[in-house]
Structure formats: C-alpha cells, structure tokens
Amino acid sequence: MKTLNDIFEHTLQDVYYAENAILKALPKVIEEAGNAGLKEALKEHLSETKTQVATLKKVFKSIGAEAKGVKCDAIDGLIKECEGVMDEAKGAAARNAGIIGCCQAIEHYEIARYGTLREWAKALGHEDAHQMLGSILDQEKAADHKLTGLAVESVNKAA
Ligand code: ZN
Ligand code: FE
Ligand code: FE
Ligand code: FE
C-alpha cells in the first residue's frame, strides 16, 4: 500500500466487507428489537444496506477494480459488542436503548469511512465514485439521526 489509490481501494474493500457483515447481522437485531419504531427503522436500514452493497459494486466498477472485501476487524468487533448487549440485556427495559447505542456505533464507523472515502475519490479524480460514496454517506447520517430521534423521543424514557 503505497499510493493514495492503494489506500482508497483497500478502504473500499474494508467498507464492502463491513456492509456485507451488517447485512448478515441486522436481521437478528431487528428480531430482538422490542420497540415498533426501532424495528421499523432497522428494517428500512436493512433495505438501504442492500442498495449500498449494489452501489459499492458500481463504485468498484467505475474505478476499474474488482468488487471484493477485506476483513474489517472494527465492524466485526462492533457487531460482536451488539450481540453481547442483546444477550446480556435480555428482558431488561434498557435493552432497546442498548441496541440503539450499538447501532449508532456502527453508523458512526460507516460515517467515518464514507466521509474519508468520498474525499479520497474526489482527490483521485473519481467523480462518479465521489458522488456515489456521498449518497451512501447521506443515508448513513440519516439513519444515525433517526436512531437519535427514537432514543430521545421514546426509547430512553422507557428504559
Ligand atoms: Zn482495513
Ligand atoms: Fe451502510
Ligand atoms: Fe475497517
Ligand atoms: Fe448504516
């Protein structure tokens, strides 16, 4: 990994792995969420995540690279933490608040990655990739805001 392009491609592979890991993990979180609004928000984000994986494939194509993932220890750890909270808070009133906190940690990881990737794409002259990564970044930010709203409006009080 020597050039900005190398780091860009590596990090693209990192988020590609992360999105696929999230896709695998979310159904269980949706099942375990004990609040209708939270369930709905997570379902919506699951379907957005599917489109994000498809968009990332287009990003790879636009830069002439093969779509592939590289293990992201960060997302594996964040997902593991989420599963731990769901187990340990089973039956507790604070469980939904815990789930939201874990999901927001995941959103913030994605926001960090896509914010960086979007600007690297621009610096490298990959204008289409810049646009597409920016659109995913906006979805991640909206998902994070929605979770904050759910926490503040209902879930934290119930906890
Ligand atoms: Zn990496
Ligand atoms: Fe995502
Ligand atoms: Fe990573
Ligand atoms: Fe997300």
Side-chain angles (χ1 to χ4, degrees):
M1 255 202 303
K2 291 198 171 71
T3 66
L4 181 60
N5 198 64
D6 293 340
I7 299 170
F8 175 67
E9 274 189 37
H10 175 86
T11 308
L12 207 52
Q13 292 168 356
D14 179 286
V15 289
Y16 188 70
Y17 175 99
E19 293 292 4
N20 280 291
I22 293 165
L23 216 48
K24 242 176 84 184
L26 261 181
K28 193 186 170 203
V29 185
I30 292 168
E31 206 184 288
E32 305 257 326
N35 170 288
L38 177 57
K39 242 187 216 300
E40 206 39 57
L42 294 175
K43 271 187 199 166
E44 200 182 304
H45 201 52
L46 175 60
S47 98
E48 277 177 345
T49 302
K50 285 177 190 159
T51 70
Q52 290 171 357
V53 168
T55 302
L56 284 177
K57 284 182 184 160
K58 288 185 199 160
V59 172
F60 278 109
K61 201 171 177 200
S62 79
I63 62 164
E66 181 201 344
K68 61 172 187 182
V70 66
K71 188 171 168 30
C72 169
D73 293 321
I75 203 71
D76 285 345
L78 290 169
I79 288 170
K80 205 173 268 178
E81 277 188 359
C82 192
E83 285 165 352
V85 166
M86 291 192 296
D87 280 353
E88 284 163 37
K90 247 192 171 62
R95 192 145 171 272
N96 292 319
I99 289 175
I100 289 182
C102 291
C103 290
Q104 287 192 288
I106 291 171
E107 295 314 319
H108 283 232
Y109 177 71
E110 294 182 287
I111 289 166
R113 283 308 198 199
Y114 286 114
T116 299
L117 279 167
R118 179 185 63 165
E119 295 314 316
W120 281 346
K122 191 171 183 77
L124 289 163
H126 299 313
E127 196 45 47
D128 290 347
H130 174 73
Q131 298 287 340
M132 289 187 272
L133 292 164
S135 75
I136 299 178
L137 176 63
D138 290 343
Q139 279 185 334
E140 308 296 12
K141 285 181 179 169
D144 179 51
H145 286 153
K146 188 151 202 182
L147 290 169
T148 297
L150 283 163
V152 171
E153 283 156 26
S154 60
V155 173
N156 287 352
K157 275 172 218 143

